[in-house]
Amino acid sequence: MKRFRFSFYFIGILSILLTVNARAQDYFQLQSEQSKLIIEGTSSIHDWEIQAADFNAKTLLKLDGNTVSEIRNIEFTSPVEGLKSGKGIMDNKTHDALKKKKFPQITFVLDEKGKIDLSGEKKANMTGLLTIAGQTKKVSMTVDFKIDDTQHFQVSGKVPLKMSDFGIDPPTAMMGALKTGDDVVVKFDLEFKKSDLELSRNF
């Protein structure tokens, strides 16, 4: 009987703690029309850039006033098909290099709990798992937050990458006269809005 009562009380306390913890963090969904993601690179002839025309992201985090105090999870997906430069040949070359048919999605998930810079600036240092062309690598980045209110926030940053790290052969064109460089920079400026939608199983 005593064991039963102890188990009952323990489960009750645990349920309360989990409920409080869940309420302390809010689910935010990307506002795609107000967001931008651009990939910049170089070539033997000129610099180039491609924009992600179709991508999605969601995050579970805690806001304390006008600062982010905790980041619990992040999910980001971008279909390779949605990468557009406005130049058909370049787009096709890029999609082929990223092995679009076999690996149609680029994804990023948070690997470690976000760490907030205690310098007083609205920054977070985070590490995540980025998957491109079927290859998953750990990447680190520093992002800047702009907190509009308890319902909205913006986040921006940039991530330098090497195509070869993901097994990607830099695209070429014009019979090999144009060769793209191995280094690229992913720049993003994203807007999120608080949402009441159900969380995915990863959250």
Side-chain angles (χ1 to χ4, degrees):
M1 188 66 176
K2 290 183 178 180
R3 286 186 178 180
F4 176 78
R5 288 179 178 176
F6 176 78
S7 299
F8 178 78
Y9 290 141
F10 177 77
I11 292 173
I13 293 172
L14 181 61
S15 298
I16 292 172
L17 291 174
L18 290 175
T19 301
V20 171
N21 185 58
R23 289 177 179 174
Q25 296 153 340
D26 292 314
Y27 173 48
F28 288 82
Q29 182 74 36
L30 179 76
Q31 303 300 291
S32 56
E33 293 184 358
Q34 289 78 41
S35 302
K36 292 183 179 180
L37 189 147
I38 299 173
I39 302 172
E40 297 181 346
T42 62
S43 76
S44 54
I45 296 179
H46 55 71
D47 294 346
W48 54 269
E49 72 173 38
I50 286 181
Q51 294 193 34
D54 180 22
F55 56 98
N56 186 39
K58 49 193 174 183
T59 182
L60 189 63
L61 53 76
K62 181 180 179 181
L63 294 178
D64 283 335
N66 63 347
T67 61
V68 178
S69 61
E70 183 178 357
I71 304 172
R72 179 175 174 184
N73 210 336
I74 295 172
E75 289 182 1
F76 169 88
T77 58
S78 177
V80 175
E81 182 71 32
L83 299 178
K84 304 289 185 181
S85 67
K87 300 176 182 179
I89 294 177
M90 181 176 179
D91 292 348
N92 291 335
K93 293 281 187 180
T94 300
H95 296 167
D96 288 343
L98 295 177
K99 307 171 186 177
K100 180 188 71 175
K101 293 183 178 180
K102 189 174 183 180
F103 305 107
Q105 296 282 345
I106 296 171
T107 65
F108 175 86
V109 294
L110 192 65
D111 183 49
E112 298 176 357
K113 183 178 178 180
K115 298 178 181 179
I116 304 304
D117 190 336
L118 299 178
S119 65
E121 298 177 283
K122 299 181 180 66
K123 294 181 180 290
N125 302 311
M126 61 183 68
T127 301
L129 299 176
L130 178 64
T131 301
I132 304 176
Q135 298 288 321
T136 300
K137 300 293 180 182
K138 185 176 289 189
V139 298
S140 298
M141 68 186 80
T142 299
V143 299
D144 295 287
F145 285 96
K146 178 184 177 183
I147 313 300
D148 298 324
D149 50 52
T150 58
Q151 303 294 315
H152 304 82
F153 72 86
Q154 298 175 17
V155 60
S156 60
K158 59 182 180 180
V159 187
L161 301 171
K162 287 184 179 292
M163 290 191 233
S164 57
D165 287 344
F166 295 87
I168 300 170
D169 294 325
T172 62
M174 297 166 47
M175 303 296 290
L178 187 153
K179 298 180 180 180
T180 57
D182 189 25
D183 296 300
V184 298
V185 177
V186 180
K187 296 182 177 180
F188 54 89
D189 189 354
L190 312 178
E191 182 171 329
F192 287 83
K193 181 180 179 181
K194 188 176 178 180
S195 175
D196 294 325
L197 295 176
E198 292 184 4
L199 306 184
S200 75
R201 62 182 178 83
N202 291 328
F203 280 84

